[in-house]
Amino acid sequence: MVPHFPGANPRKRGSIKRDDSIGTTAVPDGRFLRRRLGGPPGRQTVVAACCVVLSLSAGVLAAVPAAQADPPDPAAKKKQLDSQIQTQRGELNEASDQLAKSVAAYTQAEAQYQAVQVKYAAAQGKLAAAKAADLVAAGKLKAAELALQTAMDEVTAGEQLLDAKKAVAGRAVRSAYQQQNSLVGLSIVLRGASPADLATGMQVQRNVFGIQGNAITNLNNAQAQLANKRVKVQAAEQAVAAQRAEAAKTVKEVTALTLQVAADKAEAAKVAATRLTAQQAAEKEKNTELAQYNALVSERTRVEQILIARARAEKAAAARRKAAREAAERAKAKKEHRPPRNIPDDPGSSSGLSFPIDTYITSPYGMRFHPILHVWKLHDGTDFGAGCGTPIHAAASGVVTDRYYNGGYGNRLFLSNGIIRGSSITTVYNHLSRYKVRVGQHVSKGQVIGYVGTTGYSTGCHLHFMVYQDGQVVNPMKWL
């Protein structure tokens, strides 16, 4: 009997819920994780490794180490694309609930952060424009008030000038009134003793009357100018009123936008805090998964060695049995004096495997691209959807070699089915809720060996069914 797989200590069992149903993986892309979390490169390596989502189990074989696995060939990729909807659904089922929620929460927080930043920037832009408009309005108001003051000063000066003109005109009028005697001209002539005196008197009379006419004309002009200046004052007062209204409007807008900017800034700070919390939660989940992944990598290495050794031992035993049959046939032929007949290989079973559960497939075997973590990985079995407690039947007759709990696969049961179609076959049943058979027990094809559960990394009740051919994991559907 081959020893049990290491790691079966019940005291080390965890309570993590996740479907660890993958095998070899491609190298994680750290750039994606940096885009997702925006953190320093040191933390991204932690984020990158968990994207493999706990591949291994007690028997995942790869032709090359997991870190050097190549992406699928074009044919496999085409097949995967043809069944994209089903594959994506199954892949999302495998993803850790908490990891998916953490990444979704961070994505939502990032989108909200970007939106509030845009809103905050827009409010700041509007506030800056409003402040600029307020400065312009204040400048216009100041200019209008200065123009009004100038117009009022001009009216005051015009009123003073008009008063002076009125005084001059008054004196001229009084003089004319006092001299409106019709003999004034004759008196001037009669007083004159000579023609020169007479000419001088006549000139004086003309000057007096000219001064009187000019005073009246200047008075009229001053009154007209004062009226024009008063019209300018009215226009300036209207302009000042309009500019005051515009200035008041811009002040109101600046006040409202200042409050809006303060509110947007507070909202941005709140969303930034939420974003940081979501980022830290996502990193914590990825760190947790990395630790689980590293533990499962060690288990996978040990299990691979055990399964390969088991397959080699089984085939060697079959070869020895064939050699014994050939020796017996040669001895018999010699005794009967005839040529020995050809002895075929140990045929074992040739009927293949049967479905462990008569139900639908939720996630097929094969390479796939993780929709959240953006890495290629192998889904190393076929998932059958069924309620917890549904009986699981042996796919073929065999001996129970191991059963134990694993953090990724949950409760596992290994059934060595012997040589089938010339290959050593081992079937593995994962996420069981409980066992129905014990280690070392021989079971028949179709016999109930356990019950469907959701132990380990699992998001719901289902059976993760695996087939190992000569120690290497293969697509179960080629045997069912």
Side-chain angles (χ1 to χ4, degrees), residues 14-256:
S15 59
I16 303 173
K17 296 295 183 181
R18 168 140 178 153
D19 178 3
D20 172 30
S21 50
I22 63 171
T24 57
T25 65
V27 178
D29 185 356
R31 292 174 298 177
F32 161 75
L33 298 164
R34 286 193 291 272
R35 291 195 301 269
R36 280 300 234 180
L37 295 179
R43 292 187 296 178
Q44 308 314 323
T45 56
V46 173
V47 175
C50 71
C51 60
V52 188
V53 193
L54 308 172
S55 69
L56 49 175
S57 71
V60 179
L61 283 182
V64 295
Q68 300 177 357
D70 294 328
D73 57 35
K77 186 175 181 180
K78 180 179 183 302
K79 182 179 179 181
Q80 181 236 345
L81 292 175
D82 290 340
S83 58
Q84 182 177 6
I85 296 178
Q86 182 178 5
T87 300
Q88 294 296 327
R89 184 184 299 114
E91 185 61 25
L92 287 172
N93 287 338
E94 293 169 21
S96 164
D97 279 348
Q98 192 56 47
L99 171 61
K101 290 177 181 178
S102 297
V103 172
Y106 173 74
T107 302
Q108 181 180 5
E110 178 70 16
Q112 291 176 346
Y113 178 73
Q114 296 297 333
V116 76
Q117 284 292 91
V118 171
K119 181 181 177 183
Y120 178 47
Q124 287 181 311
K126 290 181 180 179
L127 177 59
K131 287 183 177 180
D134 183 51
L135 291 176
V136 173
K140 290 182 179 180
L141 175 60
K142 184 176 181 180
E145 289 176 340
L146 181 60
L148 174 60
Q149 186 61 46
T150 301
M152 293 175 67
D153 292 343
E154 289 180 353
V155 168
T156 301
E159 288 175 344
Q160 293 174 354
L161 179 61
L162 181 61
D163 290 342
K165 296 296 183 182
K166 285 181 178 179
V168 173
R171 289 194 297 268
V173 170
R174 286 194 298 273
S175 176
Y177 179 79
Q178 293 171 358
Q179 298 178 14
Q180 54 185 330
N181 189 341
S182 60
L183 299 178
V184 65
L186 180 61
S187 65
I188 293 175
V189 174
L190 293 177
R191 284 184 204 157
S194 67
D197 293 335
L198 179 61
T200 301
M202 295 298 291
Q203 182 64 40
V204 169
Q205 184 181 15
R206 285 194 297 271
N207 291 340
V208 169
F209 283 108
I211 292 172
Q212 292 173 351
N214 290 337
I216 296 302
T217 300
N218 291 336
L219 177 60
N220 292 334
N221 291 337
Q223 288 178 333
Q225 291 175 359
L226 180 59
N228 184 47
K229 290 175 180 178
R230 284 175 175 168
V231 170
K232 290 182 178 179
V233 168
Q234 292 178 354
E237 288 176 343
Q238 293 176 354
V240 167
Q243 294 304 323
R244 281 177 180 169
E246 181 179 353
K249 180 181 179 182
T250 58
V251 168
K252 184 178 179 180
E253 290 179 352
V254 168
T255 302

Side-chain angles (χ1 to χ4, degrees), residues 63 202 209 237 260 321 367 392 405 432 466 469:
M202 295 298 291
F209 283 108
E237 288 176 343
Q260 182 64 47
R321 289 193 296 270
M367 295 295 297
I392 300 172
Y405 179 88
L432 276 63
M466 302 171 64
Q469 180 179 352

Side-chain angles (χ1 to χ4, degrees), residues 373-390:
L373 302 173
H374 290 192
V375 292
W376 287 99
K377 69 187 189 73
L378 173 67
H379 182 249
D380 57 8
T382 299
D383 290 348
F384 293 92
C388 284
T390 301

